Amino acid sequence: VSIWAGQDPTAAEGWVIGLSNGEVKDQAVESLYRSWAVRDPATAASKSLALADEPSRFRALAAVVKEWSANDLDAVGRWASELKDPNLKDFATMAVADEMSLRAPKEAMRWASDHLAKDPQANPAIISLVASKAGFESPQETFDWLKSVRPSPEAASSLAGVATYLAEDDPEFAWKG
């Protein structure tokens, strides 16, 4: 599909969208939109947003975010934060946070803080998502970050989890924390 997408994008997309729902279509959607995201992530993102079938739209968005994140974390973060549709914005920002947390945990913490500060409707679960991934890579920095974010049940739960992880690794942490 990815080779076809480069040679005849319209035909490739028509064929993929015409497939019956199921695993084959899911894999074809991912392949098509990831291949487009390699060449032009913003256009691939726009095309994915235009898909009428919601499961395909979200699968395509996830594929675009995954590929775009590998090349330009700042751009994909800005794009996701600027989406107008609340459901798509929530999905995209969570996907970006997930990818950032895997690729650049410190950047993910900074980005999540900025996103939460700029968007009062932002999903607070972004804190838990980033902390769950970044906490293994940079536990002390994640702990310090969680102490700096706006208090919330998500932040408190994540802070307790990272503190437990740090205390298991270094029992003295419980006393000096």
Side-chain angles (χ1 to χ4, degrees), residues 90-163:
D90 182 53
F91 179 85
T93 55
M94 293 298 279
V96 167
D98 187 45
E99 286 297 320
M100 267 191 198
S101 297
L102 293 171
R103 297 174 189 281
K106 294 173 193 170
E107 177 65 14
M109 289 184 268
R110 185 203 56 76
W111 182 81
S113 291
D114 290 349
H115 177 65
L116 289 166
K118 291 176 186 172
D119 184 357
Q121 302 301 314
N123 186 342
I126 202 167
I127 293 170
S128 305
L129 175 65
V130 171
S132 70
K133 307 270 173 106
F136 290 109
E137 181 74 28
S138 315
Q140 184 63 56
E141 289 169 320
T142 303
F143 182 79
D144 294 339
W145 170 66
L146 287 166
K147 291 190 305 184
S148 75
V149 300
R150 182 179 21 183
S152 69
E154 294 82 5
S157 176
S158 296
L159 185 64
V162 174

Side-chain angles (χ1 to χ4, degrees), residues 37-52:
V38 168
R39 289 186 279 286
D40 185 352
T43 299
S46 294
K47 285 178 170 272
S48 69
L49 291 171
L51 288 171

